[in-house]
Every structure is written in C-alpha cells, then in structure tokens.
Amino acid sequence: MQDLLRPFLSSLKHVPVRIGLLSAAAMLAGCSTVPLDAPGGTYAGSGESAQVQALRTITTQQDRLYRVAAPLLVNNTPLCKGNVRNLIGFSAKNKYSYSEDYVAAASALGYEERLQVTGVLNNSGAARAGVRRGDLLTSVQDQPMPQGPNAERQAAAVLGPLVGRLSSVKLGLQRDGNPLTANVPLTQACGFGIELGNVDNVNAYSDGRRVLITRGMLNFARNDTELAYVMAKELAHTALGHPTRQQMNATIGGIIDNMIRVTPDTAPLSGTAGVKAMPQELDEAADTLSLYMLARAGYSIDGAAAFWQRLASQYPASVLNGYTAIHPDTDARLAAIRKATNEIKAKQSAKKTLMP
C-alpha cells in the first residue's frame, strides 16, 4: 500500500495523505472556487470567514472526486494488470492537513491534533467493520497513532508496511468520547493516483501513475456519471500504458505537478503544453476499456457517446488547451464507444463476465 499512502509534493506546507481511500492525495486547492490567498474577511450573510468558507468548498468538492473515483478503482482490479494495491477504505486528516494559513479554518470545522475519519468507501473493509466519518484514530495494531503537524506522514509510515503483509488491520477509534476497536479487512484497488488540477481549462491527463481532472472539467460534467466517464477514460489510458507508449510520462507528469499547485503557471495553458495528440487506435482502445470499467463500477454507460460529443462540440480541437485537442478523432471515438456499449449490454443481458 505504499502508493496508496504516498503523499505528493506541492507548494503546501503540510501535505495531506488520504489514508487508504485512493492511491494518492488529491490537491486540496484544486477544486476551490475561492482563492487560497483570499483575505480573511467574512462572506456576506454566511457568518464564516473567507478561509473557512473556502475550506468547506474544497472539502465538499474533494469528497465528490473521491466518491466518483472509488468504485472505478475498487471494481476494476482485473483490468489494472500489475497495478493493484491494498487499501483500508477510508480517508483521514487533522487540522494540519492544509497549509499553515488554514489551521484556524480547519479548527473551526472541527479538526484537531488527532487524525479523524473524513470519508468511508462504500462496501470497503472499513465500512463493513463499522468505521464512521468523524471517528478519531487512536491506534493501529495497538500502536498509538501520531498526532500534530506531521501526523499523516507518520501514519503512512506506520500503515504502509502493515497493509503490505496483513489481510486485516486492527484500529483503535474514539467515537463520541468512547473508545472502540475495529478489525478492518483490507480491500484491493487499482493503484493509480487521482489528482485535481487548480485550473479552469476543460481537460484531463494521465502520466502513467496519476490521473488529473481539471477544475474546469469537474465543472463541465453535469453529474457524477459524466465525471466518471472522464476518470474512466484516463484510467484506461493509464492501465493500457499509453503515456509510456507515447513517451509522454515526463511531459504530462510536469503538467500535473504544475496544475496541482495552489497557483499554477498558466502560460502553458494557451497551447497543448507539448502533449502529443493521442493516436486514433490508442484512443479507441481506451474508450472501449473505459466503458467496461464504468459498467463494472456500476455506472450507466448510456450517456457516454452524448457526453463526449457535447464536449467536442463545445471545446473542439481548435481550443488548444482543451480535451479534444489532444483527443482529436471524435468520430472514430464515438463509433468505438457505440460498439463497446452494444457489446457490454449484450454481455450484461447474457449475464457474462464484463471483460473486453
């Protein structure tokens, strides 16, 4: 589970590690609709400081990203080849999980020195063991859990070796002031990172180990299913090794590193930032695999063709910082999507295993 606990480098002083839920932490500032350097006044009528309101927005949109990604990662291990990892099935943070300027705001939202559960993956080992949002983490395998500014990194160091060799983990929790114990069976998932880019261009990227969805794409998606279409497409590119075949790992990795910053360099956003257009055959293969991933995760695939057609119409290939510019073969993609949709529906009707 080393990858599942791995923090990413960013310009934040204290970097959050999403314990167990996803393969990498998402950029906290990535989906904020309020600048992180906003003055500390109050919003009219809200009674909350700008920072508290911003942090509330950030965490709400992060939860959406995690919620949509989780079933795709958990239900597609047969399609992720050698990229499967164990996870505990929840995320956790404390008041130091954000930058120094946000410690007070995090405290106002109820975070403290100790790590607390902020989300539990549906149908995971943690959910079955009764772990709940708001539980405080006190111990793991009877070893006290760290507290304070470096708690998440220290927790990762404790949990990483355990999930690599155990089938379940004993957690000590505190709920409403009362101690309790949960024996959490580990859950397998695709070990790819999910990142959120702090930019408004409508795009998504994969560098072979991470998938990034921009804030613009997050807002373009009308619902969680449409957001899942984008995630699944980039997960499919990653699972098929397309960034490596295109020799784009380093280039796209640099783009992701930039976009997860609080204030990305927007200069490259006027063009494609050196990203090669995806060849038609690779795009068709990723579209096909993505539909299987979606169906296996329980998402409806009926609207996939319409979504990608709408995206290509509103952001055609001439918009160089948009998705279609690096995935230009829309007609071929739509044909592949319709063909795969028919194949999947036939397999579902025949109750066959959903494998391409």
Side-chain angles (χ1 to χ4, degrees):
M1 185 159 173
Q2 187 70 27
D3 288 340
L4 296 169
L5 295 167
R6 168 183 62 80
F8 62 83
L9 296 177
S10 78
S11 57
L12 295 179
K13 299 275 187 175
H14 304 291
V15 183
V17 181
R18 300 293 171 218
I19 298 177
L21 182 55
L22 299 177
S23 5
M27 178 60 188
L28 293 174
C31 48
S32 174
T33 58
V34 181
L36 288 185
D37 58 355
T42 58
Y43 285 106
S46 71
E48 290 185 341
S49 72
Q51 288 181 325
V52 172
Q53 184 69 24
L55 192 56
R56 190 183 297 279
T57 300
I58 288 166
T59 55
T60 297
Q61 294 189 354
Q62 267 181 248
D63 286 347
R64 181 189 179 197
L65 191 68
Y66 293 165
R67 182 178 67 251
V68 171
L72 289 168
L73 296 173
V74 171
N75 291 291
N76 285 300
T77 53
L79 302 181
C80 290
K81 301 180 179 179
N83 296 289
V84 178
R85 305 287 184 270
N86 285 333
L87 60 93
I88 300 178
F90 64 86
S91 57
K93 58 178 177 279
N94 68 2
K95 68 179 183 179
Y96 300 106
S97 295
Y98 301 91
S99 63
E100 281 183 355
D101 293 342
Y102 276 72
V103 173
S107 297
L109 291 179
Y111 297 107
E112 55 164 89
E113 297 280 336
R114 293 175 292 180
L115 292 169
Q116 67 176 276
V117 176
T118 57
V120 181
L121 176 63
N122 289 340
N123 301 317
S124 68
R128 294 194 298 272
V131 178
R132 297 181 189 174
R133 188 184 184 112
D135 287 347
L136 295 171
L137 304 180
T138 58
S139 67
V140 55
Q141 296 295 110
D142 298 318
Q143 179 178 346
M145 287 291 281
Q147 302 180 26
N150 295 313
E152 289 183 289
R153 283 194 177 91
Q154 293 168 355
V158 172
L159 287 166
L162 294 177
V163 298
R165 61 183 175 81
L166 300 177
S167 59
S168 64
V169 174
K170 178 184 177 183
L171 295 180
L173 305 170
Q174 183 175 310
R175 182 181 300 161
D176 299 326
N178 300 312
L180 54 101
T181 300
N183 290 303
V184 178
L186 300 181
T187 305
Q188 287 196 323
C190 299
F192 301 131
I194 304 294
E195 310 278 12
L196 189 62
N198 192 27
V199 294
D200 290 319
N201 62 308
V202 180
N203 218 328
Y205 302 90
S206 57
D207 68 354
R209 60 188 180 89
R210 297 174 296 175
V211 166
L212 180 139
I213 310 294
T214 66
R215 181 179 61 225
M217 183 66 84
L218 182 74
N219 292 332
F220 177 81
R222 292 172 175 170
N223 50 52
D224 287 352
T225 299
E226 289 192 348
L227 180 57
Y229 293 156
V230 183
M231 284 189 185
K233 175 66 184 300
E234 294 307 306
L235 285 170
H237 276 307
T238 304
L240 292 169
H242 291 170
T244 300
R245 289 181 61 178
Q246 286 286 88
Q247 298 182 334
M248 283 283 100
N249 301 70
T251 299
I252 297 177
I255 292 170
I256 292 175
D257 289 340
N258 174 39
M259 288 186 176
I260 62 177
R261 294 185 181 130
V262 174
T263 307
D265 177 7
T266 58
L269 300 184
S270 60
T272 60
V275 179
K276 299 176 185 175
M278 191 65 65
Q280 177 181 322
E281 65 274 14
L282 298 189
D283 240 354
E284 290 178 4
D287 279 312
T288 298
L289 183 60
S290 73
L291 289 174
Y292 277 90
M293 287 181 162
L294 288 159
R296 291 172 60 90
Y299 287 107
S300 170
I301 60 175
D302 292 337
F307 168 78
W308 291 114
Q309 193 162 39
R310 177 168 65 91
L311 178 64
S313 297
Q314 293 188 28
Y315 297 91
S318 58
V319 180
L320 297 182
N321 62 9
Y323 192 88
T324 310
I326 55 177
H327 302 270
D329 295 303
T330 300
D331 290 342
R333 290 188 57 212
L334 292 175
I337 288 169
R338 294 186 180 104
K339 179 181 177 182
T341 298
N342 291 334
E343 290 176 356
I344 291 168
K345 287 185 173 296
K347 289 180 180 181
Q348 288 173 325
S349 297
K351 301 188 183 305
K352 292 183 178 180
T353 302
L354 294 182
M355 294 289 290

